[in-house]
Amino acid sequence: METTSFLFLRLAVAISMFGHGLVRLPKLTAFSNWMVGSFENSLLPKIIVTPFSYLLPIAEFAIGFLLLLGLFTKPSLIAGSLVMLALLFGTSMIENWEAIPSQLIHISLFALLLHFADYNSWAIDTLIKK
């Protein structure tokens, strides 16, 4: 039962990340412009925000895709945690307090999945190990 619970939780986080990236990739420039505009009055300089705004949807898509497959699960969970930490920091810099609970939930789920990664039986990672 633990392996099935892990699968459902991994898939839920994967779908969230994959979906965020998937909808942003086709409109990458518009997304970047929106994000740069959001940070206009923050302490973070445009030289940092601009590359991050282009990398974020790619990272979300890739992390979500890998988690959907259960491929490189542990590194993907670590990468997802790092993305969430960066988002938490940025969200704090623009004082978007409403978005923080969602990001905290995501990072909590990444950490929980990482802690229970031994239950990751329904995954390509498991097939590769055999």
Side-chain angles (χ1 to χ4, degrees):
M1 192 57 89
E2 291 87 1
T3 58
T4 305
S5 297
F6 185 92
L7 173 65
F8 288 147
L9 193 56
R10 189 190 84 215
L11 291 176
V13 171
I15 290 168
S16 177
M17 293 297 284
F18 182 78
H20 273 85
L22 184 64
V23 300
R24 290 173 175 166
L25 284 174
K27 54 183 179 183
L28 195 52
T29 301
F31 174 76
S32 175
N33 290 337
W34 168 81
M35 183 175 261
V36 169
S38 297
F39 281 84
E40 219 168 41
N41 297 318
S42 76
L43 296 173
L44 295 175
K46 188 175 180 178
I47 197 165
I48 292 174
V49 177
T50 300
F52 184 81
S53 70
Y54 280 101
L55 291 173
L56 178 61
I58 296 165
E60 290 170 330
F61 180 84
I63 291 165
F65 184 70
L66 291 171
L67 288 174
L68 280 171
L69 297 176
L71 182 60
F72 306 118
T73 304
K74 286 182 183 178
S76 297
L77 291 170
I78 291 168
S81 297
L82 293 172
V83 167
M84 285 299 130
L85 288 172
L87 287 172
L88 277 164
F89 180 75
T91 301
S92 296
M93 292 296 97
I94 60 171
E95 300 182 71
N96 183 1
W97 311 122
E98 296 81 23
I100 288 183
S102 172
Q103 293 166 346
L104 287 172
I105 290 168
H106 274 81
I107 196 163
S108 298
L109 294 175
F110 277 116
L112 186 65
L113 285 166
L114 194 55
H115 181 75
F116 289 106
D118 290 341
Y119 292 114
N120 190 33
S121 298
W122 299 84
I124 291 177
D125 286 339
T126 305
L127 298 174
I128 293 172
K129 284 183 185 176
K130 290 183 179 182

